[in-house]
Amino acid sequence: MPSSIVFFSFVLSHLATTDKASRQQTIGVAAIIAGLILFIAPAHTGGGMKDVFSGDLLFIASGAMFAAYAVLVRRWRVDPIAATVTVVLLSCLPLPLLYLFVPSGLHSAAAGEIASQIVIQGFLAGAAAMFLYTYVVRKLGSQTASLFMPCVPIATVMIAMTVLGETPTGTQFAAILIMAAGMAFSALSRPVAKPT
């Protein structure tokens, strides 16, 4: 998903806004996408390839939608608070139907567990993350904001190493270095002047 957000933000911002990328940013974005593809490559070995590919397509579609959101927020100059409130409220609309018609096991979960997920998933990963991302998009543009998305797999690996004792493969370490280099290379580029 982070690589598709970077890719689609890069493409859609060229089509829908006046934001333009420098040659250095283009090279950095290409490095990020290559690193992310390399990072997920070990998951494509062994059995269950069809399920893995289907899952990847869903993540790519999700990334495309997230990138479209960022580009439209930038193009329409939407206030971050208004955008966050709208997304959160619209996301809540299908909840009664999901509760009634989709088996979830929610009734058997402990109240403390439900409350912690409301805070973690609802407020922190949901509303707060959406507000901060929208704010960054408004200030820096969708292309620049998307460059921070590869931090997700990097941070996940670091936390998994620390908390779970997991060890990434050599390929994944190489991918992390490529992504970090791509982010740094893009971040250090000079902005392209907007046409008047």
Side-chain angles (χ1 to χ4, degrees), residues 82-93:
T84 303
V85 169
T86 303
V87 169
V88 169
L89 291 178
L90 289 176
S91 298
C92 291
L93 288 179

Side-chain angles (χ1 to χ4, degrees), residues 55-69:
D56 286 346
L57 287 178
L58 290 173
F59 277 119
I60 289 168
S62 175
M65 288 186 277
F66 207 81
Y69 166 81

Side-chain angles (χ1 to χ4, degrees), residues 36-113:
L36 284 162
I37 290 170
L38 186 63
F39 187 82
I40 65 168
H44 289 269
T45 58
M49 281 295 297
K50 183 179 177 185
D51 291 337
V52 171
F53 183 69
S54 299
D56 286 346
L57 287 178
L58 290 173
F59 277 119
I60 289 168
S62 175
M65 288 186 277
F66 207 81
Y69 166 81
V71 169
L72 292 174
V73 161
R74 174 81 167 172
R75 181 181 174 130
W76 295 336
R77 296 175 172 28
V78 179
D79 177 67
I81 294 174
T84 303
V85 169
T86 303
V87 169
V88 169
L89 291 178
L90 289 176
S91 298
C92 291
L93 288 179
L95 286 180
L97 294 173
L98 291 172
Y99 180 76
L100 292 173
F101 299 111
V102 179
S104 66
L106 184 63
H107 62 281
S108 61
E113 189 176 321

Side-chain angles (χ1 to χ4, degrees), residues 98-146:
L98 291 172
Y99 180 76
L100 292 173
F101 299 111
V102 179
S104 66
L106 184 63
H107 62 281
S108 61
E113 189 176 321
I114 293 172
S116 68
Q117 289 304 310
I118 288 173
V119 171
I120 295 168
Q121 297 291 336
F123 293 112
L124 298 178
M130 182 62 67
F131 169 77
L132 292 172
Y133 186 69
T134 305
Y135 182 79
V136 169
V137 166
R138 283 290 310 273
K139 292 296 182 184
L140 301 178
S142 56
Q143 287 181 38
T144 304
S146 74

